[in-house]
Amino acid sequence: MSATEMNPAPVVIGVDVGGTKIAVGAVTRTGEMVQAGRYPMDRSTQQTSLTSIQVALDDFLSSWPHAAPLALGFGVVGRTDPAAGIWVRSMNIPISESVDMTARFGAPYGLRAAVDNDVHAATLAELHWGAGREARDFVYLNVGTGTATGIVTNGALVRGAGNHAGEFGHTFTGVAPDVPCPCGRCGCLEPVASGGGLIERARELLPAYPDSPLHVAEQQGQLNAHAIFAQADQGDPLATRLADDMVNALGIALANLINLLDPQAIVVGGGVWADGWLLPRVQRIVQATALAGALSDLESIAPSSLDPDHVGLLGAAILAWEVVAERE
Ligand SMILES: [Zn+2]
């Protein structure tokens, strides 16, 4: 037995609720992931979604060998009310009736449960155990299926009056102003500059580009950001259009954000950055368009130092540790 097993530190349980999987982990106050598991998500209905979370939690806790955890924390997609501990609603996972997370998931274990959206959770993980160790003012920019930010100023996450702060994906850049967004408007950043948006836009434009190699990628089920960036490098006109719009839109939006907030660091996370193609190109647009004063304070635009598989889970655990701190 290791020393940790003999004398386990107190833990909380973090739950990262995604559209296809649920990650559950036990996390100490210093951010050590003691044990973690992954479970399937059935998001057919609200009921199957909540049952999937319950099954994941029950399985994890039934195999947890140490003293009971102190609280539960959930990072979810959609709208949340962190002060009340309520998952208000979500489209990606079909939550139409609000869920009191303590009543639904904490009560059977006699634990309180905290909740916030996944990007706020990841930003809290950065604040406590990542970029926040160096910077009091930073922005976490997630570009994955969607595009969103978590804003930290003076060492605190900006939630806004109703926890809506950070919806960077629905700011306007003037790039591709006619492209419709799932929010119901046109010209938002997200449909042009997210992994999901990029694929959807490629599918819409493919018929107008019959010679594009992206047709082959689509037939092989390989139409993704990586394929689009690779074909842009080969000079394919459709891929170049999509990739250029993404780079320009992200660079302009980020320059606006930098001018507005004067951050010390921009931390990028989410699957689309993993390619390495995007970041230097966006950096060039930012350098060319942001104000000199704000740029002189910006030390880096760089990937997160946290494990991308764990950042959401660590953030959910922070939410739980905040509940524990309130009680103490
Ligand atoms: Zn929008």
Side-chain angles (χ1 to χ4, degrees):
M1 261 193 157
S2 75
T4 309
E5 280 166 327
M6 284 189 292
N7 296 303
V11 296
V12 295
I13 303 299
V15 185
D16 181 16
V17 181
T20 56
K21 55 136 187 65
I22 299 161
V24 184
V27 180
T28 69
R29 198 184 281 270
T30 54
E32 190 197 348
M33 180 87 67
V34 182
Q35 187 174 314
R38 275 170 176 261
Y39 302 88
M41 162 59 98
D42 175 358
R43 56 172 170 168
S44 311
T45 66
Q46 169 155 345
Q47 197 182 337
T48 63
S49 303
L50 297 180
T51 301
S52 297
I53 297 169
Q54 187 71 60
V55 167
L57 197 56
D58 288 348
D59 183 83
F60 185 86
L61 287 173
S62 69
S63 66
W64 175 246
H66 306 303
L70 301 177
L72 310 177
F74 294 86
V76 301
V77 292
R79 186 168 169 216
T80 60
D81 180 348
I86 288 173
W87 189 1
V88 178
R89 66 170 171 267
S90 161
M91 285 190 297
N92 181 30
I93 295 170
I95 300 298
S96 53
E97 281 174 52
S98 65
V99 183
D100 180 322
M101 301 301 273
T102 294
R104 180 66 176 78
F105 298 109
Y109 294 101
L111 297 173
R112 277 183 64 197
V115 66
D116 205 339
N117 72 56
D118 52 353
V119 176
H120 283 179
T123 306
L124 288 172
E126 289 294 341
L127 174 59
H128 288 258
W129 299 318
R133 289 180 300 184
E134 309 281 331
R136 303 269 298 162
D137 295 87
F138 71 90
V139 174
Y140 173 73
L141 168 58
N142 185 278
V143 183
T145 307
T147 299
T149 52
I151 298 162
V152 171
T153 64
N154 200 22
L157 173 65
V158 176
R159 286 198 165 95
N163 204 42
H164 290 111
E167 289 287 5
F168 187 60
H170 304 281
T171 57
F172 294 165
T173 63
V175 175
D178 298 329
V179 176
C181 180
C183 75
R185 306 177 308 164
C186 289
C188 289
L189 177 64
E190 184 165 277
V192 176
S194 65
L198 205 58
I199 294 165
E200 200 162 307
R201 202 168 165 226
R203 287 192 177 129
E204 297 232 321
L205 291 173
L206 269 171
Y209 293 84
D211 300 328
S212 174
L214 293 179
H215 284 280
V216 179
E218 169 73 330
Q219 281 153 16
Q220 294 173 341
Q222 303 282 330
L223 185 60
N224 53 35
H226 176 72
I228 290 165
F229 298 154
Q231 288 303 332
D233 277 344
Q234 298 298 314
D236 174 53
L238 172 57
T240 300
R241 177 178 172 185
L242 293 167
D244 281 356
D245 280 355
M246 182 172 196
V247 168
N248 286 323
L250 263 182
I252 290 166
L254 208 45
N256 289 340
L257 195 74
I258 290 162
N259 291 346
L260 198 65
L261 297 172
D262 189 24
Q264 193 180 337
I266 305 288
V267 184
V268 303
V272 177
W273 301 105
D275 188 280
W277 186 93
L278 186 61
L279 186 56
R281 289 166 173 84
V282 170
Q283 282 170 325
R284 277 202 288 277
I285 304 290
V286 169
Q287 287 294 333
T289 51
L291 290 174
L295 274 181
S296 70
D297 294 328
L298 181 69
E299 292 169 8
S300 63
I301 306 177
S304 170
S305 60
L306 297 174
D307 180 343
D309 285 338
H310 284 164
V311 64
L313 221 169
L314 290 172
I318 301 255
L319 295 166
W321 277 117
E322 286 179 348
V323 162
V324 173
E326 271 171 33
R327 204 171 46 202
E328 282 168 354

